[in-house]
Amino acid sequence: LSEYCSPQNLCDDEPEPPDPGNYTIVLTVGDSHVFGQLNGSTGLNYPFGFRKRLQQEMLPVVVNMVGNRKINPTSNATFDVDHAGVGGETTAQINARVPNLIANYLSPSTCANTVVVLEGGYNQLSVVEPALTNQINEIKQSIQRFHAFCPEMPVIFPNLKPFPANAPSATQTNIDVYNARLLTEMS
């Protein structure tokens, strides 16, 4: 959520989600926020990342999640586990995977019923130039690749969410700078 959110979690700058009735195929691409978190050194267990909530919010439409990964979890009786999230990836690494994802998981015949949720930017996040411009350009190039394949297919790119309150203030400042620049570029 951004600084524009009310205490009731209503956000002025948060776009309305697409009408779920129009979209039956979802490609989620990105880093650990797509992949989720497995029990590890952090002790966190966040299966599905944001993918489960996305599917829950699209109900009663049952969507076909597509992608080259079937992990975290490997199966589920209710929700589709396919995705293209890789923990720790930079925007450059995500962008490099986009052509393969288009070729293997998207179809011109179904792109009007497909939405892409593209997420990333935390890994090697920098607000120092030219690194900041490079990260933004990698995101823009990923979006342009999806649009070149299918201009009517929406690509949703969310702002980076704030870190927990115990994160260093410099980390949050960098996220705020990144989100502001991203909003300017996408406008």
Side-chain angles (χ1 to χ4, degrees):
L1 298 177
S2 78
E3 62 195 60
Y4 304 105
C5 296
S6 70
Q8 295 79 27
N9 293 327
L10 300 174
C11 303
D12 292 335
D13 62 342
E14 190 173 0
E16 290 294 318
D19 176 2
N22 293 334
Y23 303 103
T24 56
I25 302 168
V26 178
L27 172 63
T28 52
V29 181
D31 58 25
S32 60
H33 293 269
V34 173
F35 179 82
Q37 175 72 42
L38 297 173
N39 281 334
S41 61
T42 62
L44 295 175
N45 186 19
Y46 182 44
F48 279 102
F50 66 78
R51 296 174 285 120
K52 181 177 180 181
R53 181 171 175 199
L54 177 68
Q55 292 179 73
Q56 287 172 323
E57 291 186 10
M58 293 183 79
L59 290 172
V61 174
V62 176
V63 296
N64 177 22
M65 303 292 284
V66 296
N68 59 337
R69 311 284 314 257
K70 291 181 186 287
I71 186 170
N72 195 23
T74 56
S75 65
N76 185 276
T78 306
F79 298 106
D80 196 336
V81 299
D82 298 335
H83 65 93
V86 178
E89 278 203 332
T90 65
T91 53
Q93 292 168 316
I94 294 166
N95 185 31
R97 290 190 299 125
V98 168
N100 184 54
L101 293 170
I102 290 171
N104 291 303
Y105 299 98
L106 301 179
S107 166
S109 65
T110 60
C111 67
N113 301 103
T114 302
V115 63
V116 174
V117 181
L118 173 66
E119 187 280 334
Y122 289 100
N123 301 300
Q124 295 183 358
L125 175 63
S126 174
V127 294
V128 177
E129 293 297 353
L132 176 60
T133 295
N134 289 341
Q135 279 188 292
I136 298 292
N137 285 341
E138 289 154 357
I139 294 164
K140 287 168 45 177
Q141 185 179 32
S142 294
I143 293 169
Q144 289 165 344
R145 287 174 162 172
F146 285 117
H147 281 169
F149 173 75
C150 182
E152 66 268 20
M153 182 176 63
V155 179
I156 299 170
F157 188 88
N159 281 343
L160 298 185
K161 69 178 186 169
F163 267 50
N166 62 349
S169 62
T171 301
Q172 188 56 50
T173 299
N174 287 353
I175 290 172
D176 293 342
V177 169
Y178 180 87
N179 283 341
R181 174 74 181 275
L182 183 66
L183 180 61
T184 299
E185 292 286 333
M186 294 305 167
S187 295

